[in-house]
Amino acid sequence: MNIISQNTAFGGMQGVFSHESEACKCEMTFAVFVPPQAIKEPRPVLWYLSGLTCTHANVMEKGEYRRMAAELGLIIVCPDTSPRGNDVPDELTNWQMGKGAGFYLDATETPWAENYQMYTYITEELPALIARQFRADMGRQGILGHSMGGHGAMTIALKNPDRFKSCSAFAPIVQPSTADWSAPALEKYLGSDKAAWRRYDACALVEDGARFPEFLIDQGKADSFLENGLRPWLFEEAIKDTDIGLTLRTHERYDHSYYFISTFMDDHLKWHAERLEK
């Protein structure tokens, strides 16, 4: 692991690091905030997955999580959203595909399968690195994300309920297999057989029997992607006859930006901390 930067913030450390990824076959960059409490004892880990076009840096610079994370004693891990590098396949004119748009899945189709193994990276490789390099309590992990990252957080939690104790999302893509800005990407990454898409679709996973105790979702009503991309009511309908808990909060005038995310970030961190301390 290489250190790119380390800065003191709220008594803790905000770092940016890189490493050679076996899963993605390229150098990957990620950010970690370590709270001051980690000097004395291992602390819970909260994963934040970012949305389309983002890197590790967007939430680090705009998410305003450090003050509350330091107060609550949470380690915050912010991975990149895709593999990177000159040799990594991309669609330069399509922001919904390729670099910055890994959709947190393991691609099976050429040319994407060689590098786009983001599900394995997020659930196996990077956690192992975090466990080795930081004073992290890997028995207490939560996950949250925004937009494409909300999709990633929810699907990963549904498939790994024994690992994660909490999951929340800002404006998630809850049914990417039918959303305008994600279905084309799923077809390119996973092929035309839509049965394969269901493994990366929160609504489909619930329909197919996956379970997680509860979710917190915040959604802005002024979000321009609400009707065609996000549609949180579909997840509300999918869990109707299950024991999955859902707190779905909608907010007048809020859009899809980090102004929205930073406004409610403290709420999400407190929500996760309550569940990670149990």
Side-chain angles (χ1 to χ4, degrees):
M1 186 179 77
N2 303 309
I3 299 172
I4 296 175
S5 65
Q6 289 181 310
N7 298 94
T8 300
F10 297 97
M13 183 278 296
Q14 176 65 67
V16 179
F17 309 92
S18 67
H19 71 117
E20 288 297 325
S21 168
E22 293 183 8
C24 297
K25 296 181 174 58
C26 65
E27 185 177 65
M28 296 292 287
T29 302
F30 62 96
V32 180
F33 176 75
V34 180
Q37 296 90 332
I39 295 173
K40 297 181 178 179
E41 62 180 1
R43 297 305 303 167
V45 178
L46 186 56
W47 296 82
Y48 180 92
L49 306 185
S50 290
L52 287 161
T53 75
C54 292
T55 69
H56 69 281
N58 294 73
V59 68
M60 186 180 74
E61 296 170 354
K62 303 175 184 178
E64 301 183 24
Y65 58 78
R66 278 174 286 271
R67 179 186 60 80
M68 185 55 65
E71 180 179 322
L72 298 171
L74 296 173
I75 293 174
I76 310 293
V77 181
C78 309
D80 202 346
T81 56
S82 75
R84 305 279 177 175
N86 293 333
D87 296 329
V88 172
D90 193 18
E91 290 189 1
L92 296 176
T93 60
N94 183 4
W95 60 275
Q96 298 167 337
M97 185 70 195
K99 295 177 187 177
F103 279 94
Y104 304 102
L105 51 76
D106 282 350
T108 57
E109 300 299 298
T110 304
W112 313 102
E114 178 71 12
N115 301 99
Y116 286 78
Q117 301 295 308
M118 289 300 295
Y119 179 81
T120 294
Y121 178 71
I122 296 294
T123 61
E124 297 180 18
E125 185 176 13
L126 190 54
L129 181 63
I130 297 299
R132 291 195 304 269
Q133 297 288 345
F134 299 91
R135 192 166 290 175
D137 183 351
M138 303 304 282
R140 293 187 289 167
Q141 295 185 64
I143 190 166
L144 77 160
H146 169 230
S147 193
M148 178 185 72
H151 137 76
M154 292 174 70
T155 56
I156 289 171
L158 282 163
K159 291 194 283 189
N160 298 274
D162 294 333
R163 176 180 299 186
F164 296 99
K165 295 183 177 295
S166 56
C167 181
S168 71
F170 298 101
I173 309 171
V174 301
Q175 196 178 78
S177 61
T178 63
D180 290 350
W181 64 349
S182 50
L186 294 190
E187 183 168 10
K188 291 176 183 178
Y189 284 135
L190 302 172
S192 58
D193 183 1
K194 293 186 178 180
W197 304 9
R198 298 182 69 83
R199 298 195 298 271
Y200 301 103
D201 183 305
C203 291
L205 283 167
V206 170
E207 291 170 2
D208 293 342
R211 295 292 181 266
F212 196 78
E214 59 178 330
F215 295 89
L216 168 64
I217 294 176
D218 274 308
Q219 175 64 60
K221 287 189 175 182
D223 191 322
S224 61
F225 303 110
L226 179 58
E227 294 293 332
N228 294 325
L230 308 173
R231 306 168 299 165
W233 52 85
L234 296 179
F235 189 71
E236 197 171 28
E237 179 66 24
I239 67 168
K240 185 175 293 184
D241 296 322
T242 74
D243 58 356
I244 297 173
L246 173 63
T247 301
L248 173 58
R249 308 191 305 182
T250 58
H251 307 277
E252 298 287 348
R253 303 191 308 279
Y254 283 94
D255 58 19
H256 201 67
S257 71
Y258 269 92
Y259 296 110
F260 159 61
I261 296 168
S262 63
T263 298
F264 300 102
M265 180 64 81
D266 281 5
D267 289 356
H268 282 245
L269 297 189
K270 291 176 183 177
W271 190 86
H272 282 276
E274 289 175 1
R275 286 148 183 82
L276 295 175
E277 289 297 335
K278 291 181 181 178

